[in-house]
Amino acid sequence: MHELAIAESIIKTVLDEAERRNLGPVKKIAVRVGALTDVVPDALRFGFEAASADTELEGTKLEIKTIPVVGKCRNCGKGFNVEEHIFICPVCESFDIEMTTGGELDIEYIEADDRSI
Amino acid sequence: MAAKIKIEKKILSENDKIAAAIRERLHQNNIVSLNFVSSPGSGKTSLLEKTIGYLGKDIKIGLIAGDVQTENDANRLKAAGGEIVRPVVTGGACHLDARMISKALENLDLEKIQMLFIENVGNLVCPSSYDLGEDMKVVLMSVTEGDDKPLKYPAMFRRSSVMIINKLDLLPHCDFNMETARQNALKINGKFKIFEMSCRTGDGLDEWYSWVKNPKI
């Protein structure tokens, strides 16, 4: 259940950013979670609700976008969707595959009142 | 009115920053570091006991032993000859993070060691997200756990560089197919360096020792 720790990192990062940028209350947080990160969206949402209670982010909406795993063959250059975590090139059958997406754990954007505007 | 404000920041950027600093410090001191991960009971401590027993004469090894509770593993490593052992009791947390490693390194003289072994908390899920500043992850599984383990925990197996299949001595008693296990692992990570061994009988350990002295993929 490391989603709670991940949620705490989201909260800390967002509160720091909001303070640094002099933002008003944060209404929404949009995060990207790669499909190969072992972070479960429902557990993350639950962790966020628990960890944000009694903070300035209580009630803030957490939007989680799941990013599929995409690979690129280092042998023939073919890009492809990695199904069921099988990193084998569908064209040349090479096992030498670079993961181009699917490992994300990013805060993409937030929605808040921008007091500087 | 609410505005959309781009952040584009890694959620674990704080952890990654600390991990990068650890990595740099270790490299400045020419220290090779391995992060050992597995389910509880796959044999991480046994492997480290054997490894420090064998390599400890020639190579000074620093050890960080993570556990949710107790310092039992750290005590085992000391008893096995580990001179520089730092226990990290997470007190419930299911993984080690870079801050814990940084703290454990505070009172460890890096000029005195050539290698750093980190024994992570027994867990194949949570530790996969946390960079500890190590050079590579070594993932262990044992034949009692089933040959589909890599498929069940793809994130961890994908992020590891080395896979160890332990408890070979129990193979006759288990429905474990070695070839299936290897194929499952290679589907996830085609570059895996794989070792088969029994820490109990010593079978397969020589190959591991000669690799781990100078670990390269």
Side-chain angles (χ1 to χ4, degrees), chain B residues 56-98:
Chain B
K57 292 163 262 149
D58 306 319
I59 300 174
K60 286 283 171 241
I61 303 168
L63 295 141
I64 295 177
D67 249 318
V68 174
Q69 291 296 344
T70 82
E71 294 185 5
N72 291 357
D73 287 355
N75 292 336
R76 275 178 62 186
L77 295 176
K78 280 180 203 161
E83 291 169 31
I84 305 164
V85 183
R86 298 288 177 272
V88 176
V89 179
T90 67
C94 46
H95 57 271
L96 295 179
D97 63 34

Side-chain angles (χ1 to χ4, degrees), chain A residues 11-21, chain B residues 9 14:
Chain A
I11 290 165
K12 187 176 181 304
T13 307
V14 169
L15 288 178
D16 286 352
E17 288 288 329
E19 194 187 318
R20 195 170 66 81
R21 297 169 192 239
Chain B
K9 212 169 169 186
E14 193 91 353

Side-chain angles (χ1 to χ4, degrees), chain A residues 44-62:
Chain A
L44 182 58
R45 226 168 262 125
F46 179 76
F48 179 78
E49 274 172 34
S52 64
D54 298 324
T55 75
E56 289 161 56
L57 296 181
E58 183 169 349
T60 299
K61 187 172 182 252
L62 181 69

Side-chain angles (χ1 to χ4, degrees), chain A residues 27-116:
Chain A
K27 310 257 168 49
K28 180 175 152 184
I29 303 168
V31 298
R32 279 191 297 257
V33 173
L36 199 63
T37 56
D38 280 342
V39 172
V40 181
D42 277 348
L44 182 58
R45 226 168 262 125
F46 179 76
F48 179 78
E49 274 172 34
S52 64
D54 298 324
T55 75
E56 289 161 56
L57 296 181
E58 183 169 349
T60 299
K61 187 172 182 252
L62 181 69
E63 184 184 274
I64 302 170
K65 207 185 283 173
T66 302
I67 309 296
V69 183
V70 175
K72 188 175 180 212
C73 178
R74 287 199 184 94
N75 184 44
C76 75
K78 170 79 180 168
F80 61 98
N81 287 325
V82 176
E83 309 284 351
E84 293 175 6
H85 313 303
I86 296 174
F87 288 82
I88 301 175
C89 178
V91 176
C92 74
E93 296 183 353
S94 167
F95 280 59
D96 191 1
I97 309 298
E98 180 191 349
M99 191 168 113
T100 49
T101 72
E104 296 80 0
L105 267 183
D106 305 327
I107 300 173
E108 188 183 356
Y109 67 87
I110 58 178
E111 280 180 16
D113 292 327
D114 193 343
R115 291 176 180 142
S116 62

